[in-house]
Amino acid sequence: MRANTGRGMPSAYGGDVVVASPEPPSAPFPGLVAHHEGPSKVHGHADALHEATVTGGEPVSDYFRRSGISALAEASGGMCTFWMGSRLALYQITNTPLVIDAVLAPSTEANRELFGDFMGSMPHDHPGRPARRIAVERSLGNAKFVANLEPAIRQNTATFLQQQTGRKNSLEDFTLSLTAYVDSMIPGVLDLSQHPITSYLKSEQYGPVVRGFFDLASDVISNDNPDAMKEFDVIVPFVRQLLLENLAPLMKAPAANMIRRYFDLWGLALDRTNIEALDSSKLKELGTIIIATYDTSALSLMWAIAYIESTPQVKGEIIAQARSDVAQEKGPGGDATLSVIDLAVLEAVRLGGSNPSALWRRTTEPVTISFRDSAVTIPPDTMLWLDRRQANRDPAIFPEPAAFSPANIRSIYRSERETLSSLLSRSRYEINSFSMINAERNPRKCPGRLFSVRMQSIVLSELYGDYRVITNGHNLDLKPYASMPRPTQPGTVEILPINKERSIDRFNFPGHTKKGRTTPGNA
């Protein structure tokens, strides 16, 4: 497959272009692109996929494997077609981009009601989209800015971990509370230090949205289930209360703070009057940014710890690296070099990650795609499916595609000068967890991905550098009835200190004082 560089102009390929047959149940590109007929000649896979994923709770990637769609694509160059009722679907099991973003509907079009004016709901050429992206990317996508956050990430991680010593927690609750607390406390990111997000996790009113917002959103897209959006408007009062209860630290926050940046974007002063007057669209947009900052990182961190604990050799390497970092009072590599901890985080993103196992976007116009030695044109309203779980296990790219091994990440190095920034750049497609589907230059790739990966590396350095980690009862198969990729059984985790003399008082960075320290409370 070659990525499309135009909007379907036959002359770009120097030969004939085959246009899709517009009517089911026929194969749209006979002899060129393999076609899976599906269980129904009338509806193709539409009813079967809905029954399997929405009713039966089967992960959508597992459905593609069980139905034979995945095997057909594997035998046919990485791509095949099928019908979803009257809609054509193009299915892909490689991370090679097929089209440009401009010919696709917004990535969160199917669940726009959840996100308000969030950048992911805006068309490619929407005039408001660049400024919204910049509001996040200038901080969380800036390598220097992220590097300067390391002392705060370490100190707040240490504070949280001290509170958890000797407790046996669900690994899922542990990583969610840890990430929500650290991200709440870091100066210049969220600055929700008066009432950290951890204080809402167990709320009867807000807990479901604080913990499950992206599971709901993913159910809408991944399982093609629009009914999942009902009764989630609770995000509106939650975000308003969160802002009001943290108004004092937010008003003192650095200019880099993302919440402040959004108020600047709206042309509003950050004060009680304006918070109380915010409409639901703005509150949903801001809520999406806030929840995305901690929730997706928490899920990736859960996978990272689960895989590390399941792979003794890698765990040993990580402990050695982390304890060396602790002894030398330094971080796990930064953006100049890649440590085994960095590689482990990226490897967990590859195998688990924080996007559904398969995702789709809709074409908005005829699109010409180069496939093998031919060119085919798919019609508007085609569903472009990427089976992320299969694509991230591509044996043509990764030497041990099904194994948790840092060697898989080393295999995609283009030089020994690779950094987190280079591996996560928009032009790198080998691992998909920060885009819905890969498009040329990936203009919608998550703007906070560098912060997420770096933060996880630092947290793991603190965790394995200062504590003995004991886990039990995890099962890394995909959990049924979960649209986001979660382990069937995350199991439990208990941490025990290896150096009781070591204290969080070793941290010293601008703005940090004992008096101002906030503990995780009921995290």
Side-chain angles (χ1 to χ4, degrees):
M1 283 178 286
R2 265 194 333 271
N4 181 26
T5 56
R7 294 177 179 265
M9 299 299 292
S11 60
Y13 300 92
D16 293 335
V17 176
V18 178
V19 180
S21 171
E23 298 294 334
S26 59
F29 307 109
L32 295 176
V33 180
H35 180 73
H36 198 282
E37 187 174 273
S40 168
K41 289 188 176 181
V42 177
H43 303 292
H45 285 271
D47 294 342
L49 189 146
H50 186 275
E51 178 69 22
T53 59
V54 178
T55 305
E58 184 176 15
V60 67
S61 181
D62 287 1
Y63 172 81
F64 286 137
R65 173 64 66 182
R66 178 177 58 79
S67 68
I69 292 175
S70 178
L72 180 62
E74 286 177 1
S76 309
M79 193 169 80
C80 68
T81 59
F82 62 94
W83 288 100
M84 286 282 285
S86 61
R87 299 179 75 180
L88 177 63
L90 185 70
Y91 170 85
Q92 182 186 11
I93 58 167
T94 70
N95 277 322
T96 305
L98 296 179
V99 300
I100 58 175
D101 190 76
V103 300
L104 298 172
S107 50
T108 58
E109 178 193 44
N111 51 15
R112 181 187 177 97
E113 292 175 39
L114 285 175
F115 295 136
D117 289 332
F118 176 61
M119 67 184 90
S121 303
M122 293 179 169
H124 175 81
D125 57 354
H126 192 288
R129 200 174 76 84
R132 284 167 166 78
R133 186 173 179 88
I134 288 170
V136 178
E137 204 160 33
R138 277 187 177 166
S139 295
L140 303 192
N142 183 303
K144 184 176 180 180
F145 178 85
V146 172
N148 288 336
L149 296 177
E150 179 172 338
I153 296 173
R154 285 190 173 276
Q155 184 265 319
N156 287 294
T157 299
T159 298
F160 180 91
L161 294 178
Q162 279 197 342
Q163 302 294 318
Q164 304 302 313
T165 299
R167 297 183 185 179
K168 184 176 286 188
N169 295 301
S170 157
L171 179 59
E172 185 171 23
D173 288 343
F174 176 80
T175 56
L176 179 60
S177 296
L178 167 56
T179 309
Y181 176 74
V182 172
D183 285 359
S184 294
M185 301 300 294
I186 301 170
V189 177
L190 294 178
D191 296 275
L192 302 171
S193 55
Q194 192 166 350
H195 288 272
I197 293 163
T198 44
S199 63
Y200 301 92
L201 291 176
K202 296 179 181 178
S203 162
E204 185 175 336
Q205 180 181 6
Y206 299 136
V209 74
V210 178
R211 301 176 67 94
F213 183 72
F214 283 101
D215 283 283
L216 170 85
S218 300
D219 191 17
V220 177
I221 300 176
S222 181
N223 294 339
D224 195 25
N225 182 25
D227 289 341
M229 287 192 294
K230 296 175 180 176
E231 298 181 7
F232 252 73
D233 279 346
V234 70
I235 192 172
V236 172
F238 161 65
V239 175
R240 198 187 311 276
Q241 183 173 328
L242 180 70
L243 297 179
L244 290 172
E245 291 186 339
N246 286 280
L247 184 56
L250 283 171
M251 291 181 72
K252 297 176 183 177
N257 174 275
M258 288 192 296
I259 296 169
R260 293 189 65 93
R261 282 189 166 170
Y262 264 78
F263 272 79
D264 290 342
L265 187 68
W266 297 327
L268 298 173
L270 180 57
D271 57 33
R272 181 172 296 274
T273 300
N274 283 328
I275 291 172
E276 290 176 342
L278 285 179
D279 61 33
S280 62
S281 184
K282 287 184 172 63
L283 288 164
K284 287 179 179 180
E285 178 182 12
L286 195 53
T288 302
I289 295 295
I290 292 169
I291 295 173
T293 302
Y294 70 84
D295 186 64
T296 53
S297 295
L299 181 52
S300 288
L301 183 62
M302 175 170 61
W303 281 111
I305 294 174
Y307 274 117
I308 290 166
E309 291 296 307
S310 302
T311 317
Q313 180 178 344
V314 176
K315 181 177 179 178
E317 294 174 8
I318 284 173
I319 289 173
Q321 175 72 59
R323 294 182 185 172
S324 172
D325 293 343
V326 163
Q328 299 177 50
E329 298 286 348
K330 69 174 187 177
D335 203 51
T337 58
L338 286 164
S339 73
V340 68
I341 299 177
D342 296 323
L343 299 180
V345 172
L346 290 171
E347 181 70 341
V349 166
R350 180 182 75 86
L351 289 173
S354 55
N355 255 349
S357 60
L359 289 159
W360 63 274
R361 288 177 67 187
R362 179 180 66 86
T363 59
T364 57
E365 59 185 82
V367 184
T368 299
I369 293 172
S370 173
F371 181 61
R372 292 178 166 174
D373 295 324
S374 303
V376 295
T377 297
I378 56 176
D381 206 39
T382 297
M383 301 173 79
L384 287 190
W385 279 93
L386 173 65
D387 192 330
R388 190 183 68 81
R389 191 168 175 82
Q390 297 294 331
N392 283 353
R393 289 163 169 76
D394 189 342
I397 295 177
F398 303 106
E400 301 175 77
F404 180 74
S405 170
N408 286 313
I409 305 302
R410 293 190 186 100
S411 73
I412 64 174
Y413 282 15
R414 293 178 179 174
S415 78
E416 289 305 311
R417 295 182 302 223
E418 291 280 17
T419 64
L420 286 180
S421 291
S422 64
L423 288 176
L424 295 170
S425 68
R426 292 193 305 168
S427 61
R428 298 296 290 267
Y429 309 108
E430 298 96 337
I431 301 171
N432 181 294
S433 188
F434 298 103
S435 304
M436 286 190 57
I437 68 171
N438 285 327
E440 280 283 357
R441 289 290 300 157
N442 265 336
R444 293 184 189 268
K445 199 167 187 176
C446 173
R449 61 194 181 276
L450 178 61
F451 167 76
S452 175
V453 171
R454 186 78 184 108
M455 179 262 193
Q456 292 175 63
S457 294
I458 296 168
V459 166
L460 291 174
S461 178
E462 280 293 310
L463 177 63
Y464 285 97
D466 271 350
Y467 293 88
R468 185 160 66 96
V469 180
I470 305 165
T471 59
N472 284 294
H474 51 256
N475 178 343
L476 301 186
D477 292 338
L478 286 180
K479 181 180 180 179
Y481 294 101
S483 296
M484 294 289 273
R486 298 186 182 278
T488 295
Q489 291 290 341
T492 61
V493 61
E494 183 180 1
I495 60 173
L496 300 173
I498 60 171
N499 185 352
K500 293 182 180 180
E501 300 301 318
R502 207 167 137 77
S503 165
I504 60 174
D505 293 328
R506 71 189 186 277
F507 296 101
N508 182 22
F509 57 91
H512 168 58
T513 64
K514 288 185 182 181
K515 184 177 180 181
R517 186 181 301 140
T518 303
T519 59
N522 64 350

